[in-house]
Amino acid sequence: MLSYILRRFLYAIPILIGVNLITFTLFFVVNTPDDMARMHLGMKHVKQENIDKWKQNHGYDRPLLFNSEVSGLEKFSQTIFFEKSLSLFLFRFGNSDSGRDIGYDIKQRMWPSFLIALPTLLIGLMINITLALILALFRSTYIDYWGVVICIILISISSMFYIIGGQYLFGKILHLVPISGYEDGWMAIKFTILPVLIGVFSGIGSGTRIYRTLFLEEIEKDYVRTARAKGLSETLVLYRHVLRNALIPILTGVVVVLPTLFMGSLVMEAFFSIPGLGSYTIQAINEQDFSIVRSMVFLGAFLYIIGLLLTDIAYTVVDPRIRLS
Amino acid sequence: MIKRFFLFFLIALLTTGCGDNPLNNPYPVGDASKNILYSSFSSRPKHLDPTSSYSSNEILFNMQVYEPPLQYHFLKRPYQLIPLAASEMPKVTFYDKNDQPLPKTTPADEIAYSLYTITISKGVKYQPHPAFAKNEQGHYLYHHLTENDLHDKFELSDFKQQGSRELVAADYVYQLKRLAHPKIHSPLLGMMTEIIVGLEDYAKQLKVVYQKQIDKNAKKVFFFDLSQHDFEGVTLLGRYRYQIKVKGKYPQFIYWLAMSFFAAMPKEAEQFFNQPGMNEKNLSLDWYPVGTGPYMMAENNPNRRMVLVKNPNFHGEKYPLQGEESDEKRGFLNDTGKSLPFIEKAIYVLEKESIPYWNKFLQGYYDASGVSSDSFDQAIKVSTDGHIGLSSEMKNKGMELNTAVKSSTYYFGFNMLDSVVGGYSDKQRKLRQAISIAIDYEEHVSIFSNGRGIAAQSPLPPGIFGYVEGEKGINSVVYDWVNGRPQRKSIDEAKKLLIASGYPNGVSEKTGKPLILHFDATGSGPEDKARLDWMRKQFKKLNIQLIIRSTTYNRFQEKMREGKIQMFTWGWNADYPDPENFLFLLYGGNSKTKFKGENASNYMSKEFDELFDKMKNMDNGDERLAIIQQCLDVLRKDAPWAWGYHPKSFALHHQWYFNGKPNLMANNTLKYKRIAPVVRQTLRHSWNQPNWFPVILVLGILMFSLIPAIMSYRKRELKSN
């Protein structure tokens, strides 16, 4: 197992280099260092000397990927790509293009994101599984039929509708929660109730449908038939046998997203003014802050790799037949 | 464990929403009756260092903290400069190339340089700040910190000791030198090198010295003391007096003295922040301004909120005694002579989207708001005669509306270097004139801005010297004066011009091919699509086919720099209220393609340039007004722009918010604002009573709907047993 984990970590290095290279290429296809400088210096009265000075001070005055003016390995090391990427592998994110310490900002912002993502995931999971079990229990009845129809309707509605509708209904009309904002400590609960509620509600359609399918698949298996033949009630069959076996794909699906819970939601955080990592990333993209963008993409990729590794490990825990080698 | 967690959760939930505090109140309960102004910011300010900050979201904070020598009068119009940190208006003297003083009436071309002598007020003190803190021996406490000393310091409040000192002229001299600091990016440096004597060489000289210090210094971060390096452009004359040397005659320089670039910067602040480890903790001048203004920054968390609190050392200022004629009636003179500032604390909350901001404003959680397109119909009622007023919903809430035409212009430009729409021949001119008539900007303002703007007659917006109201002020190429108002010429007139330009009915006389023009635009959203379709429709009136080239803003700018665009729209916000700041957008020497200037149309007219050169250095008066009118006549005839429109600002505020007169030039207006927190608290409470009934109803229905399912389940269970 240990050697497997070590090997997976080694595999991660070329993947992270690749992700970093793709981010770098995509970013600089759209924005040249000159564009970045202009964005930071503003549009008025900016002369080329100001742009050159900004580039020099921020390390964007070198060639992007290949430096033909030097020799040997320096052709690759004296480039923006190399200089900006190397420290990432040591998790030194450095300063943003506007001067703030990215590591500090990430540490500050990951908790609000987590505070919304974790309850959304857990509550959503409980509700979706419960609803899916009910539909499976009443399969081929009007409850199942209408349940699926409602799920499809819920899937078809845009998440923006849930957000704006939720803010309008619970914040503006009913005055039950603040429309947006965030505070530390216990006050945070007040601000996270609505985003969590909306996150859970918007995920019910898809979650319930998927889990229902998993349960129905499981219900058709031989061991379930045997359980029924033993004279067990349908409820016992579902909860004692079907649920336990269907949980394997559910659990492994959840484990993969656990590390990325810190990364936040791009739209939700923007609308609720939650100072999380999702809104941090979207703001950096808008402001053409490459230092933040590359750090967040790197972190996202790394956490996803960790998630996949945890999934593999989770498989061995929930299914003893699986061995990692 | 789970039970305990839920118990805690319930207690927390109840305590956050208990008592008199409405459940949807986003602020702490204890703040409800305090004299706190609530506002927001949508994107975090990048720079709060007065040398670098220029964007409106940066100046919003900076100008409450820093005090330049001058400021705009809060109430008077046209905009008028008055002393702020200066004890009187600067004394301007002119000199010839032999350093001999010249009389004020000397023609501009005979003046070699001007000296601006500025005397600042005595006894002004800086806000409390650790940079000034000293021990008993008189040594600075925090100027020689190691990274280890900083291990528990994350905010300025973590430094226990604070100090202050008197503002002196040397601080202004120091800040002016910072424009050329090799490590700081000032957007103004390029422009100021052309204005302040010796600044260009000074910047080069500092670069060399700085590099030497880098090479010599083992530490990466060090204090680069500019007081050791002087230059000709600025001279310290005494403790409270300094002098700036400006090339030739440049009367507009005085306006720059009302901007934060020319505020005071204490050397101690630079020394304090330029220590190793400070920047890594976001402790820098870019995040913590140090000034003498009415407010100081108490919290800077651009991820969440920014807080300004009253500066206990503020030197004091009184609310203006005079204003415009209508100000008394509108209540803007009710606080005359009272001490400023009125508000104790201003909290700016990060609010990314306009819809939540607007809804919170309606609930009373923000004190003032603009009116966006999304909320326009809800807030504003436009009567059949075009009169703009508040909707009944807003009136019932006791809101007030203030409108003002912004000192901005959004224009439709032609690239004068283009072989079809550019050029200066009579035919080319007539083509542009025809297009100028066809693009109906009155309709544009009505459709896309809900009437929040006025169609432009020239580059000059109302309120700027040179703007003339009435018949005399209209663009006679595009408008006729009918029934006491300008009326756009008919499309038949435009078609006649099109015939004269060699494109009868939109077909080239020469080639017989239809005229196809290209318009570069950056937007790609649904609203942009509607706007572009509308633009296509305007050209269709002349049977001209318009091809829209959508592009990213970066690429658009690149094409503009290279002169590869045929037609475009762009805008300009005034730096200062002088016609020079608008007309220079069409000055040949500022051509974007040729000289990397701000003249995006690349318009070059000898006649206009000569008039501009003559006008730019003149003092306001009849002679200047006449030359400006000549300038405008040339422009209207040549039509390098299709003129566009000047936007209007709509500002709404609640009944507990006072002195909300829009001042589109001044940015330090927070000190004039006043609120009535008790009224606010009462109204917030009555507007935000929670309504649980629908929630209980929905839960009841859900429970009820479960009954058939439970019955069906039981039936099935019974059957199987």
Side-chain angles (χ1 to χ4, degrees):
Chain A
M1 167 95 93
L2 204 66
S3 66
Y4 175 80
I5 294 170
L6 193 71
R7 204 164 60 239
R8 286 290 297 267
F9 267 114
L10 290 174
Y11 287 159
I13 294 171
I15 294 171
L16 288 172
I17 293 173
V19 167
N20 206 18
L21 185 65
I22 291 168
T23 315
F24 183 87
T25 313
L26 287 176
F27 190 92
F28 283 103
V29 162
V30 184
N31 311 286
T32 63
D34 277 39
D35 294 330
M36 291 164 69
R38 275 193 195 91
M39 178 62 104
H40 283 270
L41 294 170
M43 298 297 158
K44 288 168 111 180
H45 308 299
V46 176
K47 307 257 168 180
Q48 191 57 42
E49 303 92 80
N50 302 51
I51 291 165
D52 294 341
K53 188 172 153 188
W54 186 91
K55 279 168 31 188
Q56 195 186 0
N57 284 349
H58 288 82
Y60 290 109
D61 56 337
R62 296 178 187 278
L64 291 175
L65 286 163
F66 184 77
N67 192 343
S68 56
E69 288 173 9
V70 288
S71 57
L73 274 178
E74 286 193 339
K75 279 184 188 296
F76 298 98
S77 65
Q78 299 274 314
T79 59
I80 297 176
F81 177 71
F82 186 84
E83 289 186 352
K84 299 274 174 193
S85 304
L86 192 64
S87 55
L88 283 183
F89 285 86
L90 302 168
F91 291 93
R92 285 188 197 143
F93 300 115
N95 281 8
S96 71
D97 292 339
S98 58
R100 274 183 78 85
D101 181 15
I102 297 172
Y104 177 82
D105 272 355
I106 289 175
K107 275 183 220 155
Q108 292 273 308
R109 282 175 167 260
M110 61 193 270
W111 297 112
S113 290
F114 188 69
L115 205 60
I116 292 185
L118 187 68
T120 306
L121 178 80
L122 296 179
I123 298 170
L125 206 61
M126 280 195 297
I127 290 177
N128 294 348
I129 289 173
T130 310
L131 290 175
L133 276 171
I134 291 172
L135 295 185
L137 182 66
F138 292 101
R139 62 192 174 279
S140 307
T141 66
Y142 79 97
I143 295 173
D144 182 30
Y145 173 75
W146 280 107
V148 172
V149 169
I150 292 169
C151 284
I152 303 274
I153 292 171
L154 291 175
I155 294 169
S156 313
I157 297 170
S158 152
S159 61
M160 290 288 284
F161 179 84
Y162 290 116
I163 294 171
I164 296 172
Q167 284 182 328
Y168 185 79
L169 183 66
F170 293 103
K172 193 179 172 189
I173 303 293
L174 303 179
H175 305 139
L176 298 178
V177 284
I179 290 172
S180 65
Y182 189 78
E183 282 290 335
D184 283 324
W186 286 110
M187 276 285 281
I189 294 171
K190 190 173 170 173
F191 293 95
T192 49
I193 288 173
L194 188 56
V196 169
L197 193 71
I198 290 170
V200 169
F201 193 72
S202 62
I204 283 177
S206 54
T208 307
R209 279 266 293 154
I210 292 167
Y211 298 152
R212 176 186 167 275
T213 312
L214 288 175
F215 291 140
L216 290 181
E217 244 175 53
E218 210 66 28
I219 279 170
E220 302 299 321
K221 288 188 178 165
D222 289 345
Y223 74 91
V224 178
R225 202 172 300 130
T226 311
R228 279 201 200 108
K230 274 185 358 191
L232 289 179
S233 70
E234 192 63 19
T235 324
L236 276 177
V237 170
L238 268 177
Y239 283 91
R240 194 173 289 171
H241 297 281
V242 175
L243 177 61
R244 195 176 287 176
N245 285 294
L247 269 183
I248 296 173
I250 295 173
L251 207 66
T252 47
V254 169
V255 170
V256 74
V257 298
L258 278 180
T260 54
L261 289 181
F262 292 99
M263 298 300 289
S265 152
L266 302 182
V267 180
M268 191 81 92
E269 287 181 7
F271 265 84
F272 285 98
S273 294
I274 305 288
L277 287 178
S279 53
Y280 188 54
T281 312
I282 207 92
Q283 191 174 318
I285 294 167
N286 288 337
E287 292 176 357
Q288 300 181 6
D289 197 322
F290 175 64
S291 301
I292 297 176
V293 173
R294 78 191 155 93
S295 302
M296 291 310 298
V297 173
F298 180 86
L299 194 63
F302 178 77
L303 291 175
Y304 193 69
I305 289 167
I306 296 288
L308 290 173
L309 184 61
L310 288 176
T311 310
D312 288 351
I313 295 166
Y315 268 122
T316 64
V317 175
V318 293
D319 190 346
R321 290 168 300 177
I322 298 170
R323 289 277 175 275
L324 299 176
S325 59
Chain B
M1 180 66 193
I2 292 173
K3 271 184 187 171
R4 198 177 291 170
F5 173 79
F6 276 107
L7 190 67
F8 268 122
F9 182 81
L10 267 176
I11 291 169
L13 195 62
L14 290 170
T15 49
T16 55
C18 65
D20 265 356
N21 191 33
L23 285 174
N24 63 352
N25 184 0
Y27 310 124
V29 187
D31 288 352
S33 59
K34 288 185 182 165
N35 186 9
I36 300 173
L37 178 109
Y38 292 97
S39 189
S40 77
F41 64 101
S42 60
S43 61
R44 60 184 193 181
K46 289 184 199 131
H47 305 288
L48 293 177
D49 186 325
T51 310
S52 311
S53 65
Y54 203 5
S55 304
S56 54
N57 68 333
E58 297 163 355
I59 292 168
L60 170 73
F61 298 102
N62 251 3
M63 287 300 285
Q64 320 311 328
V65 179
Y66 288 108
E67 289 192 310
L70 306 178
Q71 65 178 335
Y72 288 96
H73 194 286
F74 178 51
L75 299 174
K76 285 185 180 173
R77 303 289 180 279
Y79 293 105
Q80 187 185 322
L81 284 173
I82 55 169
L84 178 58
S87 59
E88 56 184 6
M89 289 302 283
K91 289 196 169 68
V92 188
T93 42
F94 303 125
Y95 292 83
D96 65 14
K97 54 185 176 188
N98 300 317
D99 301 327
Q100 293 305 306
L102 295 168
K104 287 220 155 147
T105 51
T106 312
D109 52 358
E110 289 173 26
I111 298 169
Y113 63 91
S114 318
L115 286 180
Y116 285 72
T117 308
I118 301 154
T119 308
I120 60 159
S121 302
K122 292 175 187 172
V124 175
K125 284 186 84 181
Y126 278 101
Q127 65 176 79
H129 196 278
F132 302 114
K134 288 181 179 176
N135 60 19
E136 284 169 0
Q137 289 76 43
H139 301 304
Y140 287 109
L141 273 174
Y142 303 121
H143 282 203
H144 302 285
L145 300 173
T146 61
E147 287 197 46
N148 203 30
D149 294 330
L150 289 170
H151 78 278
D152 58 346
K153 310 273 190 290
F154 297 95
E155 289 175 15
L156 279 190
S157 53
D158 294 329
F159 295 88
K160 298 288 170 237
Q161 302 296 320
Q162 297 191 323
S164 180
R165 74 155 167 83
E166 193 190 17
L167 172 79
V168 288
D171 301 333
Y172 286 91
V173 173
Y174 194 84
Q175 167 61 10
L176 210 152
K177 289 177 181 174
R178 291 179 82 242
L179 291 177
H181 196 298
K183 192 75 185 157
I184 304 169
H185 304 279
S186 176
L188 213 64
L189 176 64
M191 191 190 174
M192 281 298 145
T193 52
E194 291 162 18
I195 295 167
I196 298 174
V197 175
L199 187 61
E200 191 171 5
D201 291 337
Y202 184 62
K204 285 178 190 162
Q205 177 200 329
L206 284 185
K207 204 175 168 184
V208 176
V209 180
Y210 188 74
Q211 190 56 47
K212 276 184 192 164
Q213 288 210 17
I214 289 178
D215 298 341
K216 203 170 70 180
N217 216 314
K219 287 183 286 185
K220 266 172 86 180
V221 180
F222 58 90
F223 169 53
F224 185 52
D225 188 0
L226 294 174
S227 61
Q228 306 297 316
H229 307 278
D230 291 331
F231 83 104
E232 197 188 347
V234 60
T235 313
L236 187 65
L237 299 177
R239 189 170 167 81
Y240 303 107
R241 233 153 51 101
Y242 69 106
Q243 206 166 52
I244 304 172
K245 193 172 180 180
V246 169
K247 293 175 186 173
K249 184 184 177 185
Y250 179 55
Q252 291 79 18
F253 185 70
I254 203 155
Y255 295 114
W256 292 105
L257 294 177
M259 294 189 199
S260 63
F261 299 107
F262 291 87
M265 175 57 68
K267 184 176 133 180
E268 294 92 326
E270 266 229 316
Q271 201 163 357
F272 171 77
F273 284 117
N274 277 295
Q275 297 185 78
M278 281 278 190
N279 203 36
E280 286 71 20
K281 304 218 165 184
N282 296 324
L283 294 168
S284 75
L285 265 174
D286 244 350
W287 297 100
Y288 291 100
V290 187
T292 57
Y295 293 95
M296 55 186 201
M297 187 155 283
E299 186 183 334
N300 182 354
N301 183 352
N303 299 333
R304 196 173 302 172
R305 63 181 198 169
M306 300 178 78
V307 180
L308 295 173
V309 295
K310 220 173 182 177
N311 172 9
N313 295 344
F314 183 53
H315 51 86
E317 198 181 336
K318 303 283 183 200
Y319 192 88
L321 299 169
Q322 294 166 325
E324 285 185 292
E325 257 179 51
S326 60
D327 286 346
E328 186 147 20
K329 200 175 139 197
R330 295 169 70 193
F332 295 136
L333 285 170
N334 289 351
D335 290 318
T336 291
K338 288 183 187 166
S339 291
L340 302 175
F342 296 117
I343 287 163
E344 292 287 333
K345 195 195 248 187
I347 298 180
Y348 297 84
V349 184
L350 178 69
E351 199 77 71
K352 302 288 291 179
E353 298 292 330
S354 63
I355 297 173
Y357 180 91
W358 173 250
N359 287 330
K360 279 162 89 175
F361 167 69
L362 291 182
Q363 291 176 337
Y365 295 122
Y366 287 119
D367 299 306
S369 170
V371 182
S372 68
S373 298
D374 295 327
S375 52
F376 188 86
D377 291 337
Q378 191 184 356
I380 307 294
K381 197 174 80 181
V382 185
S383 64
T384 42
D385 62 347
H387 177 75
I388 285 172
L390 283 172
S391 65
S392 50
E393 185 190 346
M394 301 299 118
K395 275 184 191 161
N396 291 341
K397 279 185 173 278
M399 292 208 193
E400 282 178 38
L401 172 73
N402 288 304
T403 64
V405 180
K406 290 185 186 175
S407 303
S408 312
T409 185
Y410 291 149
Y411 60 91
F412 181 100
F414 301 99
N415 180 8
M416 297 297 280
L417 301 175
D418 184 79
S419 57
V420 181
V421 298
Y424 301 87
S425 71
D426 200 40
K427 283 191 168 185
Q428 288 165 316
R429 200 175 279 140
K430 284 195 167 124
L431 173 64
R432 291 192 296 272
Q433 288 176 353
I435 295 171
S436 302
I437 294 171
I439 305 177
D440 186 348
Y441 264 102
E442 286 80 5
E443 190 180 271
H444 184 281
V445 167
S446 162
I447 295 174
F448 300 108
S449 307
N450 304 101
R452 286 169 297 162
I454 56 164
Q457 303 293 334
S458 77
L460 303 182
I464 300 292
F465 184 80
Y467 178 87
V468 177
E469 295 272 359
E471 190 176 359
K472 280 186 180 170
I474 66 163
N475 179 357
S476 56
V477 175
V478 179
Y479 291 90
D480 292 318
W481 188 257
V482 180
N483 296 331
R485 55 194 300 176
Q487 184 177 297
R488 189 170 285 274
K489 286 183 193 284
S490 69
I491 205 68
D492 290 335
E493 295 263 357
K495 282 180 178 169
K496 278 181 204 164
L497 286 165
L498 198 64
I499 292 167
S501 72
Y503 297 99
N505 201 27
V507 178
S508 170
E509 272 176 349
K510 268 190 203 164
T511 61
K513 288 182 180 170
L515 178 59
I516 299 171
L517 298 178
H518 297 89
F519 175 69
D520 279 72
T522 51
S524 55
E527 201 176 317
D528 297 306
K529 192 182 173 301
R531 208 183 295 265
L532 296 173
D533 284 344
W534 178 86
M535 191 61 85
R536 226 179 252 128
K537 207 179 94 189
Q538 305 307 300
F539 282 77
K540 194 77 189 153
K541 290 179 200 168
L542 297 175
N543 215 17
I544 297 173
Q545 196 184 331
L546 186 71
I547 294 177
I548 312 274
R549 294 192 293 207
S550 281
T551 180
T552 63
Y553 191 61
N554 287 338
R555 178 72 189 125
F556 173 78
Q557 281 189 304
E558 194 182 326
K559 284 163 91 175
M560 287 296 283
R561 284 194 296 276
E562 291 167 359
K564 289 180 179 168
I565 276 176
Q566 202 169 39
M567 295 183 298
F568 60 93
T569 51
W570 217 334
W572 181 258
N573 290 321
D575 292 308
Y576 44 80
D578 191 89
E580 179 262 354
N581 196 238
F582 284 91
L583 295 179
F584 91 115
L585 297 171
L586 290 151
Y587 182 67
N590 291 330
S591 161
K592 189 166 269 301
T593 304
K594 290 192 176 169
F595 306 111
K596 310 286 176 214
E598 300 290 353
N599 177 357
S601 280
N602 300 303
Y603 174 63
M604 290 182 117
S605 155
K606 203 180 162 202
E607 190 184 359
F608 175 82
D609 287 356
E610 279 173 7
L611 288 165
F612 178 83
D613 282 334
K614 212 165 163 186
M615 176 280 300
K616 70 175 181 186
N617 292 329
M618 288 172 81
D619 297 316
N620 286 347
D622 288 346
E623 196 188 346
R624 193 177 195 217
L625 185 63
I627 296 175
I628 290 168
Q629 294 314 307
Q630 286 177 50
C631 283
L632 299 185
D633 287 344
V634 175
L635 291 177
R636 284 161 179 161
K637 196 180 85 184
D638 282 346
W641 293 359
W643 308 114
Y645 70 102
H646 308 298
K648 262 186 186 174
S649 87
F650 277 47
L652 270 179
H653 62 78
H654 284 289
Q655 55 186 283
W656 58 77
Y657 181 92
F658 303 97
N659 305 328
K661 181 171 180 173
N663 186 321
L664 303 170
M665 279 297 147
N667 295 298
N668 61 345
T669 55
L670 178 62
K671 61 187 173 189
Y672 304 108
K673 307 289 186 249
R674 182 167 62 82
I675 53 165
V678 178
V679 178
R680 178 174 66 184
Q681 188 187 12
T682 313
L683 287 172
R684 267 185 193 172
H685 195 259
S686 70
W687 290 345
N688 295 291
Q689 288 301 310
N691 185 0
W692 287 104
F693 178 69
V695 179
I696 294 166
L697 188 72
V698 169
L699 284 175
I701 291 169
L702 272 176
M703 300 288 273
F704 192 73
S705 65
L706 282 176
I707 292 172
I710 293 165
M711 285 170 68
S712 156
Y713 169 73
R714 285 199 163 172
K715 211 183 268 177
R716 192 194 283 190
E717 286 289 289
L718 282 172
K719 217 186 227 178
S720 64
N721 288 332

